[in-house]
Amino acid sequence: MQFPVEHLYAVVMAGGAGGLMLWPYSRKKIPKQFVDVFGSGTMIESAITCVSGLVLPENIYVVTNVQGEMMMRRSLPWFPSENILVEPVARDTAPCIALATAYISKKDPEAVMITVPSDLLVLDKRLFGEILNTGVAVAQDRKSIVTIGVTPDHPEPEYGYIQIDKLQAAEDSLQESTVPMFTVRAFAEKPDIKTAQEFIDSGDFYWNSGVLIWHIDAIRREFERSMPDLYKDLQSIYDVIGTERERAVIEDVYSWLHPVSIAYGVMENAESVCMLAGKFGWTDLGCWDDVLKIDGKDAGASEEADFNMVQVDTANNFVKKSGKKAVAIVGLEDIIVIDTEDALLICRKGHSQDVKKVVDILRREGLEDYL
Ligand SMILES: Nc1nc2c(ncn2[C@@H]2O[C@H](COP(=O)(O)OP(=O)(O)O[C@H]3O[C@H](CO)[C@@H](O)[C@H](O)[C@@H]3O)[C@@H](O)[C@H]2O)c(=O)[nH]1
């Protein structure tokens, strides 16, 4: 039976300060989710698009901060302002999901909620939609938490890992769906690189895409069990939604909350978690090397001029530039060049994760204008 669409909700988590590895595009004033890397829209727009085929526009929420709210209103004026939930300060993803849970459970006690990160980029939207639909059915029928796993292709210490229970895979697979489903045995958030390699070698770990699907009862149950203090705060907010005390209570609660991610706070202890898998072309665009995997228009192998960019005796370079400045590259290979009006990044391919060190140095040296 098709899940009734009026009870389906999506929450885009868009209040994180991460993403500085996409410097100089991402800045303190332009967090990653508001960066337009491909010239076809911001990441948050792409995350909203990933769910908008399934979820009614009035049921899509964005949780962000004051700066994010302003950027949403400016860059996505069509997005309903009452669906932007504003956090006074960032306290990581557990409080973000708790806040959304308070609002959505007040509006609809039968809701099933899909939470997605704002830096979600999916290449095969049709397959992703099929996986979400399956996840919604599972979350509704079994009242369990559904995660979406991605087959890892390298040991990535910046991701969470999901260990599946191979023995249960066959009996748990949904008969009516072609999407493979597994029972989750364990979660491991951001292991070191050696452990990540061991996970991959074992063959029963997937990357956590950061997408979660859960029935509102399941989220509340898990918060109450694993984060009882946050559950009480969620309840305090729930009680005042729609009253004149709403903003004051949220400010108050956030003043004492500690930052905790949903992975550490809930998922590592959660009961009854399933994982759906599929090759839907997932990336979180963590660094420029991720971008070039998708937008990898390698520039000129020998000599060429493209508008105001000239390459001589080059191969395999990735160049992104804005503005009118002419850029010339001579005799270089495997280089990433990111040119903006006030900052220029030149980096060897495969090293772009170290851009975070650049950002740290700029911060340490007080070069705030470039952050
Ligand atoms: N509203 C709000 N959103 C937040 C906050 N903190 C983070 N977010 C948003 O939540 C999403 C994920 O947060 P990150 O902090 O970027 O997490 P991560 O390090 O990328 O790790 C997560 O994603 C990986 C895949 O990209 C996962 O592999 C990993 O397990 C985890 O879920 C992003 O869209 C970010 O903007 C917050 O305090 N408030």
Side-chain angles (χ1 to χ4, degrees):
M1 192 190 75
Q2 190 78 16
F3 183 76
V5 69
E6 63 275 18
H7 293 303
L8 185 57
Y9 291 76
V11 174
V12 180
M13 302 179 285
L20 285 173
M21 277 190 273
L22 288 184
W23 185 89
Y25 269 46
S26 59
R27 302 291 182 95
K28 239 161 66 181
K29 285 197 212 107
I30 315 170
K32 181 180 168 189
Q33 50 268 31
F34 293 102
V35 168
D36 178 0
V37 186
F38 302 110
S40 57
T42 56
M43 286 190 205
I44 189 161
E45 218 176 328
S46 142
I48 293 172
T49 313
C50 283
V51 289
S52 58
L54 297 180
V55 183
L56 297 171
E58 62 269 30
N59 287 357
I60 301 178
Y61 285 78
V62 167
V63 186
T64 186
N65 48 35
V66 176
Q67 181 198 16
E69 183 194 20
M70 275 171 8
M71 298 189 84
M72 284 285 299
R73 285 175 190 261
R74 210 178 311 136
S75 61
L76 305 175
W78 46 264
F79 192 85
S81 53
E82 64 277 15
N83 285 18
I84 305 177
L85 305 180
V86 182
E87 297 178 290
V89 279
R91 291 290 184 251
D92 217 323
T93 46
C96 158
I97 292 177
L99 182 68
T101 302
Y103 277 86
I104 292 173
S105 56
K106 187 94 179 187
K107 186 170 158 188
D108 184 349
E110 291 171 52
V112 166
M113 177 165 134
I114 304 170
T115 51
V116 297
S118 56
D119 49 5
L120 174 75
L121 188 77
V122 165
L123 298 182
D124 187 343
K125 294 204 168 50
R126 191 206 53 79
L127 177 59
F128 186 63
E130 193 184 327
I131 294 173
L132 289 182
N133 262 326
T134 307
V136 168
V138 175
Q140 163 69 9
D141 291 350
R142 306 185 180 196
K143 302 279 183 293
S144 58
I145 304 176
V146 180
T147 59
I148 299 183
V150 176
T151 309
D153 60 18
H154 65 275
E156 175 55 72
E158 295 291 327
Y159 294 159
Y161 287 73
I162 305 173
Q163 185 183 26
I164 53 158
D165 211 332
K166 275 192 184 148
L167 291 175
Q168 294 204 21
E171 57 218 72
D172 259 356
S173 277
L174 289 182
Q175 280 169 4
E176 69 275 22
S177 168
T178 50
V179 178
M181 183 170 103
F182 305 92
T183 304
V184 171
R185 181 181 286 188
F187 259 84
E189 186 66 1
K190 304 200 168 113
D192 58 40
I193 196 149
K194 186 171 160 285
T195 312
Q197 184 63 59
E198 285 164 14
F199 286 170
I200 293 179
D201 294 344
S202 78
D204 49 0
F205 281 84
Y206 284 70
W207 282 336
N208 174 24
S209 67
V211 178
L212 291 166
I213 307 169
W214 24 15
H215 191 281
I216 208 85
D217 292 342
I219 314 179
R220 295 180 68 98
R221 181 188 71 221
E222 291 299 336
F223 275 129
E224 191 172 16
R225 209 170 59 79
S226 297
M227 303 185 76
D229 291 342
L230 183 60
Y231 180 74
K232 275 190 216 133
D233 294 330
L234 180 166
Q235 206 52 43
S236 316
I237 294 172
Y238 177 95
D239 290 340
V240 295
I241 287 172
T243 74
E244 59 190 18
R245 294 182 55 227
E246 180 177 332
R247 204 62 231 158
V249 170
I250 291 175
E251 301 270 345
D252 212 24
V253 162
Y254 270 79
S255 70
W256 64 67
L257 282 181
H258 294 293
V260 186
S261 73
I262 197 74
Y264 289 118
V266 171
M267 299 311 293
E268 286 191 357
N269 303 309
E271 284 173 345
S272 177
V273 186
C274 330
M275 189 199 81
L276 301 177
K279 291 196 169 82
F280 50 91
W282 171 87
T283 169
D284 79 336
L285 291 185
C287 60
W288 287 109
D289 279 289
D290 291 340
V291 174
L292 73 90
K293 274 185 214 151
I294 293 170
D295 189 20
K297 288 177 263 141
D298 282 341
S302 55
E303 294 188 11
E304 78 173 66
D306 176 13
F307 185 43
N308 49 7
M309 201 192 71
V310 183
Q311 301 218 43
V312 177
D313 195 16
T314 61
N316 274 332
N317 296 320
F318 177 71
V319 184
K320 230 174 164 45
K321 61 186 293 308
S322 49
K324 294 191 183 130
K325 194 195 305 164
V327 171
I329 303 175
V330 181
L332 291 178
E333 280 180 27
D334 295 323
I335 298 293
I336 296 171
V337 178
I338 312 293
D339 183 45
T340 66
E341 205 165 304
D342 66 341
L344 168 66
L345 169 73
I346 302 171
C347 169
R348 183 164 297 286
K349 279 186 184 174
H351 289 249
S352 65
Q353 289 215 343
D354 286 342
V355 170
K356 63 174 170 245
K357 294 183 186 164
V358 174
V359 173
D360 286 345
I361 293 169
L362 292 174
R363 191 175 290 134
R364 215 167 47 228
E365 299 294 325
L367 295 165
E368 288 289 317
D369 286 354
Y370 303 107
L371 283 174

